Amino acid sequence: MAHISAAERRPQLVQAAIDLMAREGVEAGSTRAIAAELGVAQATVHYVFGSKQDLYRAVIEHMTCELVERVRGAARPDDTFERSIRRMAGALWEGMREQPQRSLLHTELSTYALRSPELREVLRDFQRSMEETAASLLTETAARSGRTPAEDPLVIARFFLSGLDGIEQRYLLMSDGTDETDGTAGDDLNRLVTAVLRLAGVGEGEGD
């Protein structure tokens, strides 16, 4: 059997961990179970990742990169500021609707971290990274549109992400597979984006 380096195993193990925990929950994500998911020895997980916290950090970083790539891919150079923000928010929301179990995994990891000092620091880093990335995207979008946000982009980013977390958690709790739940969440997302635009100093429909 050909030897597979740690660098090659790393993304495989991260994906196996995401698939397993999204399907069965964070508590199911032992190193033994993750190894079994990929079909490798448990020692392989410990060799590639020094600790479970390191593995969880890699899982969170991977999920974050996926979100950022999705949002960046939604932006269009010729859009107005408002359209860009709405398009990017919509891309985030569609990602959640398409893979609700991944959103649930993020919620579970966040809750689990509150009782784990090591993992709590990992999630704090993730939160800061998401806020800084959102602020950077907001700044880039404003610059393309020839605008200067009326509020600090980091403040706007925190406000948006906090609101989105609330809408997402309510959707996961209330969703029963009907269009009614989707519609309610979609309306709430539109209201949140409108509030974000006003915080940025842009009135609804302005510039379209």
Side-chain angles (χ1 to χ4, degrees):
M1 183 179 294
H3 172 71
I4 298 178
S5 69
E8 292 176 291
R9 278 295 187 208
R10 186 179 178 87
Q12 294 174 353
L13 285 168
V14 167
Q15 190 59 58
I18 291 173
D19 291 343
L20 173 66
M21 292 191 292
R23 187 176 68 246
E24 300 183 22
V26 172
E27 293 295 338
S30 66
T31 55
R32 183 185 299 277
I34 292 167
E37 180 81 5
L38 188 59
V40 299
Q42 185 178 5
T44 301
V45 182
H46 293 291
Y47 172 69
V48 176
F49 298 97
S51 67
K52 183 185 281 190
Q53 281 70 34
D54 289 337
L55 173 57
Y56 282 2
R57 183 187 296 274
V59 163
I60 293 165
E61 287 174 350
H62 181 81
M63 293 171 68
T64 302
C65 286
E66 286 185 333
L67 284 175
V68 172
E69 288 175 9
R70 174 180 282 272
V71 172
R72 286 192 183 278
R76 296 181 183 177
D78 57 342
D79 271 346
T80 63
F81 183 77
E82 178 180 345
R83 283 178 182 159
S84 291
I85 298 302
R86 290 192 181 280
R87 202 183 296 278
M88 289 189 289
L92 273 176
W93 187 250
E94 282 306 307
M96 194 284 296
R97 289 183 67 249
E98 289 169 8
Q99 296 182 307
Q101 292 306 313
R102 288 208 178 195
S103 296
L104 181 57
L105 173 57
H106 172 247
T107 299
E108 284 187 302
L109 282 168
S110 298
T111 304
Y112 185 70
L114 295 177
R115 295 186 180 274
S116 169
E118 297 90 352
L119 193 56
R120 186 169 189 167
E121 191 56 40
V122 172
L123 264 294
R124 280 177 174 169
D125 289 345
F126 162 79
Q127 186 66 31
R128 294 187 190 103
S129 175
M130 284 297 292
E131 290 169 0
E132 290 166 2
T133 299
S136 176
L137 287 170
L138 181 69
T139 301
E140 292 172 16
T141 302
R144 282 200 309 269
S145 306
R147 288 184 173 276
T148 301
E151 184 59 83
D152 181 348
L154 191 57
V155 171
I156 299 173
R158 288 201 305 265
F159 175 78
F160 171 70
L161 291 173
S162 296
L164 185 64
D165 281 347
I167 294 172
E168 181 178 278
Q169 288 192 34
R170 186 181 189 279
Y171 176 83
L172 291 171
L173 177 66
M174 304 298 289
S175 180
D176 56 4
T178 66
D179 291 338
E180 181 179 354
T181 306
D182 284 351
T184 299
D187 289 343
D188 288 344
L189 179 64
N190 284 332
R191 294 184 186 101
L192 174 63
V193 174
T194 297
V196 166
L197 289 167
R198 288 175 178 165
L199 189 59
V202 180
E204 187 173 5
E206 185 179 337
D208 286 349

